[in-house]
Amino acid sequence: MLECMKNRRSIRKYTDQDIPESLLNELLEVATRASNTGNMQLYSVVVTRDPANKEKLAPAHFNQPMITGAPVVLTFCADANRFVKWAECRKAEAGFDNLQTFIASTIDAMLFAQSFCNAAEEKGLGICYLGTTTYNADQIIEALSLPRLVVPIVTVTVGYPAEPIPAQVERLPLAAGGQKETYTDFTPASIDALYSEKEALEVNKQFVRENNKETLAQVFTDVRYTKKNSEHFSEVLLKVLKQQGFMK
């Protein structure tokens, strides 16, 4: 498992080979062993195989080709709906229409999703995480008919990798994210040390040139993840949380 995780990469192109239902169910069953809040399992996953339903999802993910090209698309959701319904059926009242429950169910959904991904890659499948899910959560809610107290959190495409297998992308050194005992803030010198290798890669230098920018950071802030877009999608998500019952 460790070697598989060390060598992992995102797979965006898949063969035509289908994933057997038995294998997919086994992987999802394994993923249910993931840690979760109070053993309430405040998550759900919508499995999409039908091409027409993938087409419905595609616009919400900016028509990234993985959505229609993968044999299976999984939408992992923060889901307090099932637990609340169970409570109602058992003469209990669940006060889950709040932000705290949304955060807890989001954590549950992400742990479930990552456990599935680890298991899938161990079985030779390729996966790709799509960070677009919460951008257009309202569209996904409509496409998947998600009820109150259910919000899509992450989408994962799954399939058998097509050749050629892509190279691994770089990662920052552990010191960038690992802290000991208390948080030590970063200085200009430590930032230089942590990002120097990333900035020196030819592929990243090419990104800078292609976008007519001075630094790689500007590619991220001015092109990929702009303030305008971040504020817009934040408004969309806040509206979704209110609409789905997580914020009064």
Side-chain angles (χ1 to χ4, degrees), residues 10-29:
S10 295
I11 302 298
R12 294 175 171 82
K13 294 183 179 180
Y14 309 95
T15 68
D16 294 332
Q17 182 179 354
D18 198 10
I19 301 174
E21 190 78 10
S22 58
L23 174 57
L24 184 63
N25 287 340
E26 178 187 7
L27 296 173
L28 290 170
E29 185 75 28

Side-chain angles (χ1 to χ4, degrees), residues 163-222:
E163 299 290 345
I165 302 299
Q168 270 191 317
V169 296
E170 85 282 351
R171 290 291 190 264
L172 293 172
L174 179 59
Q179 298 278 351
K180 295 181 180 180
E181 307 296 345
T182 59
Y183 194 103
T184 301
D185 207 353
F186 301 99
T187 64
S190 64
I191 290 293
D192 288 345
L194 292 171
Y195 282 87
S196 60
E197 186 174 341
K198 182 184 186 78
E199 292 171 331
L201 290 174
E202 182 54 38
V203 64
N204 287 334
K205 289 182 177 180
Q206 181 63 25
F207 287 150
V208 175
R209 291 192 293 267
E210 287 174 351
N211 289 283
N212 296 313
K213 295 298 177 182
E214 183 181 354
T215 69
L216 182 62
Q218 290 174 352
V219 176
F220 281 86
T221 62
D222 299 352

